[in-house]
């Protein structure tokens, strides 16, 4: 059973930093897409950074470029999001997400939208004041 668990959220002052972690387990297929999304009250879930694993292409939202960095530790099967120079507008629930499935189901599919993903963590709250 696939499980994604986020941690590392909290409340920080503007300009501060946080490092989010995502522990991943139970995958029977290689992850086709990986990413971090966030959702603020009254807004749609938006992509923070996504990765198409087939090519290694990484896409950051314009609002976080230069401030956020995604990384992975394959030995620990974990994914991280380093968030620096945090702003109040970064306040949201942050979710770790992945898309995985057999090649016939995922080949040629996109990785940029929340609707593209089939596995999600429960979320970790980030509040910037």
């Amino acid at each position: 059973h696939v499980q994604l668990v986020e941690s590392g959220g909290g409340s920080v002052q503007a300009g501060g930093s946080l490092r989010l972690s995502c522990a991943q387990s139970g995958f029977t297929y290689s992850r086709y897409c990986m990413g971090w999304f966030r959702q603020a009250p009254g807004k749609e879930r938006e992509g923070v950074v996504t990765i198409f694993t087939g090519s290694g292409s990484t896409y950051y939202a314009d609002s976080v470029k230069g401030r956020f960095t995604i990384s992975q530790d394959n030995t620990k099967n974990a994914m991280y999001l380093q968030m620096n120079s945090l702003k109040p507008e970064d306040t949201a629930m942050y979710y770790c997400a992945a898309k995985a499935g057999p090649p016939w189901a995922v080949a040629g599919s996109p990785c940029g939208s929340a609707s593209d993903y089939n596995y999600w963590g429960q979320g970790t709250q980030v509040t910037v004041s």
Side-chain angles (χ1 to χ4, degrees):
H1 179 68
V2 172
Q3 186 173 27
L4 279 63
V5 181
E6 305 97 333
S7 62
S11 181
V12 300
Q13 296 181 356
S17 299
L18 283 174
R19 184 172 185 261
L20 306 184
S21 299
C22 174
Q24 306 171 7
S25 63
F27 286 94
T28 57
Y29 292 96
S30 296
R31 282 143 288 186
Y32 185 80
C33 310
M34 298 175 62
W36 287 94
F37 291 78
R38 66 186 182 186
Q39 187 168 24
K43 296 184 178 181
E44 294 185 350
R45 191 166 299 185
E46 65 175 353
V48 176
V49 55
T50 57
I51 300 174
F52 169 48
T53 61
S55 64
S57 298
T58 303
Y59 302 91
Y60 289 90
D62 288 340
S63 60
V64 307
K65 286 181 179 178
R67 300 188 298 120
F68 291 10
T69 304
I70 190 170
S71 62
Q72 302 173 57
D73 185 339
N74 293 328
T75 63
K76 297 181 179 180
N77 201 22
M79 183 173 66
Y80 308 94
L81 182 67
Q82 179 65 47
M83 305 186 294
N84 298 326
S85 301
L86 284 162
K87 304 175 181 180
E89 51 262 45
D90 294 319
T91 296
M93 184 72 74
Y94 282 70
Y95 298 90
C96 173
K99 180 175 184 176
W104 63 264
V106 302
S109 61
C111 297
S113 300
S115 60
D116 297 327
Y117 293 75
N118 54 350
Y119 297 108
W120 293 87
Q122 66 183 47
T124 184
Q125 179 67 39
V126 172
T127 301
V128 185
S129 62

